[in-house]
Structure formats: structure tokens, C-alpha cells
Amino acid sequence: NNSVKAIYKDSLNNMWFWTVDGVSKFDGSTWTNYSQTLGTLTGSQVFNIYEESWKVIVVTESYFNQK
């Protein structure tokens, strides 16, 4: 989805884009998409993205998804 709600840059310089449909990660050359539809997120609504102990945490209404 092209509607970006927020952007997060992690400690490895990956860019995370929070969209209406889920989360997309860009590592400088490759895009990886995460969503409930793809089966890679446990919820459909993303509430927050942050990093803890070298893992990016995507918070949905259902779970803390570690990527």
C-alpha cells in the first residue's frame, strides 16, 4: 500500500514502512512485506514498531511480532 503511516529506521539501517496493509522492510536493495493476509503478522492493525535486543518488534492488536 502506498499510504505510509510511519517510518522506522533500525540499528542495521533497514527502513520499516508502516502502511494501512501491514509493514514493509527495505534493506537497501530488497523489499520484504509483512501482513496478516500474507500470514507474516498475527493481526491486521499495527500499533507500534520498535527495536529491542536487535529484534524489530511490530505490535498489532493480537501480538508482539518479532522480525
Side-chain angles (χ1 to χ4, degrees), residues 2-56:
N2 291 333
S3 298
V4 176
K5 292 177 141 185
I7 299 171
Y8 177 77
K9 184 177 180 181
D10 68 23
S11 61
L12 298 176
N13 292 321
N14 296 311
M15 298 298 295
W16 296 79
F17 298 87
W18 172 359
T19 70
V20 174
D21 295 329
V23 177
S24 296
K25 178 182 83 171
F26 183 65
D27 66 7
S29 61
T30 304
W31 287 93
T32 305
N33 298 309
Y34 302 95
S35 72
Q36 186 176 33
T37 305
L38 295 172
T40 51
L41 286 180
T42 58
S44 60
Q45 294 181 339
V46 176
F47 293 110
N48 196 11
I49 301 172
Y50 66 94
E51 190 170 7
E52 184 176 283
S53 301
W54 297 95
K55 291 184 181 181
V56 171

